[in-house]
Amino acid sequence: LLDLDTQALSLHTTWNSFLLSLTDWATLRIERGVNKDLDSASEFEMSDIFYFARRGVESIMDDEVTKRFSAEELESWNLLTRSNNNFTYISLRLTVLWGLGLLIRYGFLLPLRVTLAFTGVGLLVFLTSVIGLLPNGRMKNFLSEKVHLMCYRICVRALTAIITYHDSENKPKNGGICVANHTSPIDVIILASDGCYAMVGQIHGGLMGVIQRSMVKACPHVWFERSEVKDRHLVAKRLSDHVQDKSKLPILIFPEGTCINNTSVMMFKKGSFEIGATVYPVAIKYDPRFGDAFWNSSKFGMVSYLLRMMSSWAIVCSVWYLPPMSREEGEDAVQFANRVKAAIARQGGLVDLLWDGGLKREKVKDTFKEEQQKLYSKMLVGTQEDRSRS
């Protein structure tokens, strides 16, 4: 049986290699045909479809976009059934270990963590509301900073987060903008437990609204009404006014606009890079072996996600503070955003992708499809310059 499996694997590998070689040959033939004979290249040949066939096979075998919106695959099992969808009975010893771990996580760690979480959030709401009654001044700012740090660190303990901070001399300073890759809502408390930031976001109702209203009393956070979020000029002006006041805390922004599974960094929205303020890049890298911090918002609600985090073994991550970056002469906002994104990806060991994270919920834009069609058209019939030369 082992010999048969080995032979089948060998045949499968040989067939895949043959297909890739064939599609490579067809693509080269199309490209050479453009330079040799533009007239004959305009006629349809069977090999013309091989370019699309190759791109299609590559997308099916290794799609670099949609796999960023699902949990990262682990090389070894961490005794959590959520990380092993094909879990089956293997041995009595392993089953006993898994059951013991289940008892520890749900019987001891989860109640303790939930208690700490409610304590941290409750203290944050109460103490920031009290501090908001004080007149503006150095004492209010001092107390606000200490309260925020204390409460966020209690919330971090509720996740049993083990965080390693690197290059603290590059920590964001007042009047700047801190940008980081985005994996989870807990990114906020991971960073805020090591320094205070001004948060940016939409005003919510319910418990989140209560927390936002109490926080803004003690610290000048930037909250927007639902009707204001889509007004780019208003948002840019509010952010610009904030960073121009050097006494205010640095703004914390996640330019991807959505959570990615911590294997890559996707396109940064250019809005926060148009303001002209100093940008402080931060790279966050989680270790999924102890607990996957990625939030798949299309699959889990906030409450169920937090329960999954609190019932994991731990949240282990590393945070790198990169040197501050400013927009260079002749550099537009998109180029600046890409340069910052590349630095974050390089430091965090993440894949740097140009794709928009909005593809998590939206279809590919027609403009991108047209670019691919134009590229294929050039391969078949050449450019206008090639035709005029012929």
Side-chain angles (χ1 to χ4, degrees):
L1 288 176
L2 183 60
D3 291 339
L4 289 175
D5 290 341
T6 303
Q7 292 176 5
L9 180 61
S10 177
L11 289 173
H12 182 71
T13 303
T14 303
W15 174 247
N16 287 342
S17 301
F18 169 73
L19 286 178
L20 291 176
S21 300
L22 187 62
T23 53
D24 287 338
W25 167 81
T27 303
L28 289 174
R29 190 172 185 276
I30 293 174
E31 294 173 348
R32 290 173 183 171
V34 170
N35 298 326
K36 287 183 178 180
D37 189 359
L38 293 173
D39 293 333
S40 61
S42 61
E43 299 177 2
F44 175 78
E45 294 184 8
M46 195 62 185
S47 60
D48 292 345
I49 67 171
F50 277 43
Y51 173 77
F52 281 131
R54 176 190 175 188
R55 295 299 296 269
V57 171
E58 288 177 347
S59 298
I60 294 172
M61 294 178 63
D62 188 19
D63 178 13
E64 65 178 9
V65 179
T66 55
K67 67 180 182 181
R68 311 298 176 180
F69 305 137
S70 58
E72 180 181 359
E73 294 183 5
L74 299 179
E75 295 182 359
S76 58
W77 188 38
N78 58 2
L79 295 179
L80 300 176
T81 53
R82 70 193 64 166
S83 59
N84 186 358
N85 295 327
N86 299 319
F87 174 76
T88 57
Y89 175 80
I90 298 175
S91 68
L92 178 61
R93 182 180 301 176
L94 188 60
T95 303
V96 170
L97 287 175
W98 172 79
L100 182 61
L102 185 71
L103 181 62
I104 293 174
R105 288 187 293 109
Y106 283 93
F108 175 70
L109 293 179
L110 181 59
L112 179 62
R113 290 168 176 173
V114 171
T115 302
L116 286 173
F118 277 104
T119 302
V121 173
L123 285 175
L124 180 65
V125 171
F126 175 73
L127 293 178
T128 51
S129 298
V130 172
I131 293 174
L133 300 176
L134 300 176
N136 293 332
R138 299 178 64 180
M139 178 58 69
K140 181 178 181 180
N141 293 338
F142 174 79
L143 291 176
S144 174
E145 178 180 349
K146 296 303 180 183
V147 165
H148 277 84
L149 285 175
M150 178 187 70
C151 295
Y152 282 126
R153 287 172 180 173
I154 292 175
C155 292
V156 163
R157 299 297 183 272
L159 298 170
T160 316
I162 303 172
I163 314 168
T164 304
Y165 297 98
H166 305 271
D167 305 320
S168 296
E169 65 275 9
N170 296 325
K171 288 173 62 173
K173 296 179 174 55
N174 290 2
I177 298 178
C178 175
V179 299
N181 57 301
H182 198 24
T183 303
S184 159
I186 67 174
D187 293 339
V188 175
I189 64 173
I190 293 294
L191 295 177
S193 63
D194 191 46
C196 291
Y197 297 91
M199 309 299 176
V200 178
Q202 178 180 312
I203 296 177
H204 296 273
L207 177 61
M208 184 61 69
V210 173
I211 296 174
Q212 288 179 317
R213 287 191 294 272
S214 61
M215 288 174 61
V216 79
K217 292 177 183 178
C219 178
H221 298 283
V222 185
W223 305 128
F224 296 97
E225 296 288 348
R226 182 181 297 272
S227 58
E228 298 175 334
V229 173
K230 295 183 179 180
D231 190 340
R232 293 182 64 251
H233 298 289
L234 176 61
V235 172
K237 186 179 185 307
R238 291 275 302 277
L239 296 180
S240 180
D241 293 342
H242 183 99
V243 298
Q244 287 176 3
D245 188 347
K246 301 303 179 183
S247 65
K248 292 184 178 180
L249 296 173
I251 295 176
L252 176 58
I253 295 179
F254 301 101
E256 288 171 296
T258 189
C259 295
I260 311 299
N261 70 356
N262 209 228
T263 61
S264 64
V265 184
M266 303 191 80
M267 187 182 78
F268 278 6
K269 305 294 189 296
K270 65 178 182 178
S272 55
F273 299 91
E274 293 176 325
I275 300 173
T278 301
V279 171
Y280 295 86
V282 176
I284 306 174
K285 179 63 177 176
Y286 292 92
D287 189 340
R289 292 176 298 176
F290 301 93
D292 187 10
F294 169 61
W295 181 35
N296 188 347
S297 56
S298 60
K299 189 175 181 181
F300 301 105
M302 178 60 74
V303 175
S304 60
Y305 165 76
L306 291 176
L307 288 176
R308 288 169 64 89
M309 291 300 95
M310 293 181 184
S311 60
S312 298
W313 294 112
I315 300 298
V316 181
C317 74
S318 295
V319 176
W320 289 272
Y321 297 107
L322 279 65
M325 302 174 69
S326 299
R327 194 165 163 181
E328 297 178 349
E329 185 177 353
E331 187 178 45
D332 60 26
V334 175
Q335 293 171 332
F336 183 30
N338 288 334
R339 183 160 61 91
V340 173
K341 177 168 68 73
I344 291 176
R346 186 166 53 251
Q347 180 63 71
L350 306 170
V351 180
D352 185 4
L353 297 177
L354 296 175
W355 293 91
D356 185 359
L359 292 173
K360 186 176 186 178
R361 298 178 180 85
E362 301 174 358
K363 295 182 179 180
V364 178
K365 296 181 179 179
D366 291 336
T367 54
F368 183 80
K369 295 179 182 179
E370 291 173 0
E371 290 178 3
Q372 297 298 312
Q373 292 168 356
K374 290 177 182 178
L375 176 62
Y376 186 61
S377 176
K378 289 178 182 179
M379 294 174 60
L380 287 179
V381 300
T383 61
Q384 182 67 34
E385 182 180 347
D386 293 332
R387 289 194 294 272
S388 60
R389 194 184 304 132
S390 62

